[in-house]
Amino acid sequence: MKTVLMVAEKPSLAQSIAKILSKGSCTSRKGLNGACSVHEYTGSFEGQPVRFKMTSVCGHVMSLDFIGKYNNWDKVDPGELFSKAPTEKKEANPKLNMVKFLQVEGRGCDYVVLWLDCDKEGENICFEVLDAIEPVMNKGSVRGQSVYRAKFSSITDTDIWNAMNRLGEPNRNEALSVDARQELDLRIGCAFTRFQTKYFQGKYGNLDSSLISFGPCQTPTLGFCVERHDKIQSFKPETYWVVQVKVFKGKDTPLTLDWDRVRVFDRDVGQMFVNMTKTSKEAKVESVSKKEKAKQRPQALNTVEMLRVASSALGMGPQHTMQIAERLYTQGYISYPRTETTHYPENFDLKGTLKQQSNNHMWAEEVKALLSAGLNRPRKGSDAGDHPPITPMRSASEAELGSDGWRLYEYITRHFIATVSQDCKYLQTTIDFSIGTEAFSCSGKTLISAGFTELMPWQGIPLEEAMPPCERGDIFTVDEIKLVEKQTHPPDYLTEAELITLMEKHGIGTDASIPVHINNVCQRNYVTVENGRKLKPTNLGIVLVHGYYKTDAELVLPTIRSAVEKQLNLIAQGKANYQQVLQHTLDIFKRKFHYFVDSIPSMDELMEVSFSPIAASGKPLSRCGKCRRFMKYIQAKPSRLHCSHCDETYSLPQNGAIKLYKELRCPLDEFELVLWTSGPRGKSYPLCPYCFSNPPFRDMKKGMGCNECTHPSCQHSLNSLGIGQCVECEGGVLVLDPTSGPKWRMACNKCNVVVNFFEHAHRVQVAQESCDACEASLVAVDFNKTRTPLPAGETQHTGCVFCDPIFQDLVELKHATMRHRGGGARRGRGRGRGRRGNPKKPKDKMAALAAYFV
């Protein structure tokens, strides 16, 4: 029997699709990577009985990066990244072993059906999957097709079966357009980011951003925010005057009239009009017009509109919105949430989709009324040729979806029902008056039929007082005439919704990437999100954009990126050559980069005005090993130490607190050690500022502290304080934290595992001897007489924390309260004896600690 391997983009999708296609009769097992399951069942394919294996990836299998040596910021000229630096595809998440997993499951398969998301990124992942499994698949006949592509827009029985019965092929051109975007963003972004980060962080101490990043889409996004900020700052309010009149008829409520001249900017002129108007005590009705108007129902919902409304009406950021929308999609509640289309296909089952909502108490009445009266034909929108508009696929409740999930689902559902509802109809009445020689008017709206606004009440016609009945020639009494002074107001800061509109208008990013770009400018501390989801640029964001305008405005204007997006779309359509577009764009940005480097002094002039020199920043903390003078600790991101006498800056671990470590010195370079801690429940370890940036031994890397240092005799090193192999991660070593007493602990020097032990001990030391059973270092513990937990009142004991039965009840495994550590995980090796550098994992260690796992 032949085998068909089917691959979805996420584990939850694979499970849902397998359940539909197998009609609930599949068996499931975990894959070798632990993250993806495999669902198996028998069925028919291409007219023959086959065994189906349904599994998934977890997003992109591969990511693009430079080869190893070009990732060294200190040794590589950023200008080389445009052409000279070779790139390679690396596993996006090496811990998942996704390539090996796919090859194990794909070995011996005869066919593959790709159920990746149906957008350009999904097409790209299709070919990443194929690159992994095609070499291990059975080779079929030369003419026979073995690779198939399923196209679907929702996780419903109908849509999944339709996709299975109409399989196509993956689109190589769309995949290439993604490859081109990835390479352009990598080369351009890294070159500019590395240069300006090193240049400005080396000069200024209070930038408060760990990375001064540049991105072909990110930077124009920031540009829109700063452009609005500049308009606000340059705005000069002007005083103007309005003639305000109130009139009444009989006992009716007075009407406030609008002046036909609207306003004047000269007070004397305004007073002249007031005086002219006051000559008459009556207001004559010149005309009364009544017009029936309609407020159109919305077009079908696409991604950009969903993001706009979620931000402005629901108070949810674009990135958060997309995460929730993807969850609703994978759970089968809505259709695919990434689409540019606002037009339903002719064969779209509007009635069937609406019927599913007829029992939901939130809108059951409106839905039943529509079904009995007949659906209104949706407005014609634009068909981008990707996916149908975003629609609800089944009924749900708040209890099922949770707070934010329900709020987004409710909006999507209300929007869908509104698209097939009637327009909102109202009567607009306008009355024109003359008072002396001046003309005035007032208008009001009266609702005729609420239509779609019953579902979307926030778009309804506001309740207004009805206009008094009157005819031409009627006379009203003037109640009040006065000159009102007002001022023009500056525009407000851009909201996320307005920024999304601008990005769509100028072609910056795609419906999938717009949330990422907005999130990036916030993460980089270029923009802060204020009340009302308004985006206010920080000092750093403002100075960067002004600097780009000063050196090369095209770096920040949307025009050049918009042109690149058009070229990428042509690649996807097969109308442009991938290599030619890539090379042409890189040539343009390479010239711009070199001009930017030559012009950096003019940008630096703006920086000097806004930020403090690094030598003037920070507070004295520890002594430099070269000049013996105090170095200053700069807390602003990225935190670092600076010696103004030597003019040297030393990196530190990020996202934690730094303090002096007992005024102890490194035996190699005489720098005073500092202690990094992530908090009272987290990890702590000492480090030498010089060794942290300049590894002293070949088996060490940048960003390693004393807990990974392989110095053979230093009292703070891994060789002196290392105890045994980590119980969870590969390569990690549990190291005694000598600062943790009296609540002693050891912590892994790779992951966030923390082992609490020997609370209230007077002293804990790592002994020279090793455990005979597991080769972990023995620990010598000295307790106070009054608080010793040892049997028979003993105060001292030396043993293995993993194997010694006396110690087992005194050991507790936890996960540290950790923030991401600067420098990332590192792999250090000890002396190669198997004692501390690479101890054997005790056979019973997990069992000994499992009872205490928190």
Side-chain angles (χ1 to χ4, degrees), residues 732-785:
V733 177
L734 292 168
V735 181
L736 174 67
D737 180 354
T739 68
S740 58
K743 295 185 177 181
W744 297 94
R745 63 192 173 202
M746 56 182 176
C748 177
N749 59 7
K750 296 288 190 296
C751 69
N752 64 343
V753 163
V754 169
V755 178
N756 295 329
F757 54 10
F758 315 130
E759 189 170 355
H760 304 305
H762 176 63
R763 183 169 56 248
V764 176
Q765 291 179 311
V766 181
Q768 289 295 312
E769 298 79 21
S770 300
C771 174
D772 293 334
C774 69
E775 294 191 20
S777 295
L778 300 185
V779 176
V781 188
D782 187 356
F783 284 98
N784 291 322
K785 281 185 179 180

Side-chain angles (χ1 to χ4, degrees), residues 187-472:
R187 292 186 182 277
I188 297 166
C190 284
F192 279 91
T193 296
R194 289 187 191 183
F195 173 73
Q196 64 186 26
T197 298
K198 288 190 70 180
Y199 186 89
F200 291 123
Q201 283 186 353
K203 291 191 71 174
Y204 303 103
N206 58 339
L207 297 175
D208 202 25
S209 182
S210 54
L211 202 67
I212 315 298
S213 65
F214 175 96
C217 287
Q218 171 194 303
T219 305
T221 301
L222 173 61
F224 290 130
C225 300
V226 175
E227 182 184 14
R228 176 61 65 87
H229 167 84
D230 291 343
K231 285 180 180 177
I232 294 169
Q233 295 301 307
S234 61
F235 185 85
K236 292 180 180 177
E238 283 188 87
T239 304
Y240 65 91
W241 288 264
V242 174
V243 177
Q244 185 175 292
V245 174
K246 288 185 179 179
V247 299
F248 67 93
K249 182 182 181 185
K251 294 182 180 180
D252 291 338
T253 305
L255 294 176
T256 300
L257 307 186
D258 297 320
W259 189 24
D260 279 14
R261 295 183 192 273
V262 183
R263 60 186 177 181
V264 293
F265 288 89
D266 187 310
R267 191 184 189 287
D268 292 339
V269 173
Q271 190 60 51
M272 178 193 72
F273 284 120
V274 168
N275 295 339
M276 290 169 58
T277 308
K278 281 184 174 180
T279 58
S280 175
K281 297 292 183 182
E282 295 179 341
K284 183 181 178 183
V285 176
E286 297 293 338
S287 66
V288 178
S289 66
K290 294 186 178 183
K291 289 183 180 176
E292 187 177 308
K293 292 191 173 183
K295 187 172 186 178
Q296 282 192 307
R297 60 201 179 281
Q299 287 184 326
L301 185 64
N302 67 2
T303 306
V304 168
E305 181 64 14
M306 178 183 72
L307 294 176
R308 271 197 290 254
V309 173
S311 175
S312 60
L314 306 181
M316 290 160 51
Q319 186 119 356
H320 181 53
T321 301
M322 283 310 299
Q323 288 169 352
I324 292 171
E326 285 171 6
R327 175 169 62 82
L328 293 175
Y329 161 66
T330 57
Q331 292 174 344
Y333 289 105
I334 65 171
S335 61
Y336 191 61
R338 290 195 178 106
T339 177
E340 296 174 16
T341 295
T342 57
H343 180 73
Y344 294 111
E346 293 302 320
N347 60 349
F348 193 90
D349 185 8
L350 293 168
K351 194 169 185 179
T353 306
L354 191 62
K355 271 183 181 177
Q356 291 179 334
Q357 302 296 333
S358 59
N359 292 321
N360 192 310
H361 72 278
M362 296 291 289
W363 37 73
E365 283 186 29
E366 291 86 348
V367 168
K368 287 173 181 175
L370 271 173
L371 289 170
S372 62
L375 278 61
N376 194 14
R377 188 177 181 84
R379 284 173 57 197
K380 187 170 177 61
S382 63
D383 185 356
D386 49 359
H387 286 272
I390 304 167
T391 48
M393 301 315 296
R394 60 188 171 104
S395 187
S397 66
E398 186 172 0
E400 291 174 72
L401 305 182
S403 175
D404 283 351
W406 166 254
R407 291 197 301 140
L408 186 61
Y409 173 85
E410 181 185 8
Y411 166 68
I412 291 168
T413 305
R414 287 183 180 277
H415 189 107
F416 165 70
I417 301 170
T419 62
V420 293
S421 299
Q422 298 295 322
D423 290 344
C424 171
K425 294 178 182 177
Y426 61 94
L427 185 69
Q428 179 159 307
T429 304
T430 303
I431 307 173
D432 294 319
F433 293 89
S434 64
I435 305 174
T437 56
E438 288 303 292
F440 296 84
S441 65
C442 67
S443 61
K445 297 171 184 173
T446 308
L447 185 66
I448 298 172
S449 168
F452 77 93
T453 62
E454 286 186 1
L455 277 304
M456 304 174 84
W458 60 91
Q459 290 201 17
I461 302 301
L463 288 173
E464 297 177 353
E465 281 199 37
M467 292 285 100
C470 60
E471 296 177 358
R472 184 182 178 190

Side-chain angles (χ1 to χ4, degrees), residues 639-652:
S639 58
R640 54 211 191 274
L641 286 167
H642 178 73
C643 178
S644 54
H645 184 264
C646 301
D647 195 22
E648 293 279 356
T649 304
Y650 301 98
S651 300
L652 293 171

Side-chain angles (χ1 to χ4, degrees), residues 27 232 238 375 402 523 550 649 659 690 767:
T27 59
I232 294 169
E238 283 188 87
L375 278 61
Q523 292 284 324
K550 200 172 180 183
T649 304
K659 56 186 177 182
Y690 187 82

Side-chain angles (χ1 to χ4, degrees), residues 60 117-127 149 151 171 173-179 181 336 340 386-387 510 565 568-573:
H60 273 284
D117 286 353
C118 300
D119 55 13
K120 291 171 188 171
E121 295 289 337
E123 297 302 320
N124 190 262
I125 300 172
C126 282
F127 287 93
R149 177 73 163 107
K151 294 278 188 179
N171 189 320
N173 289 328
E174 288 190 358
L176 283 174
S177 74
V178 174
D179 283 339
R181 177 181 282 107
Y336 191 61
E340 296 174 16
D386 49 359
H387 286 272
T510 62
E565 289 287 350
L568 294 174
N569 285 333
L570 289 177
I571 294 175
Q573 296 164 19

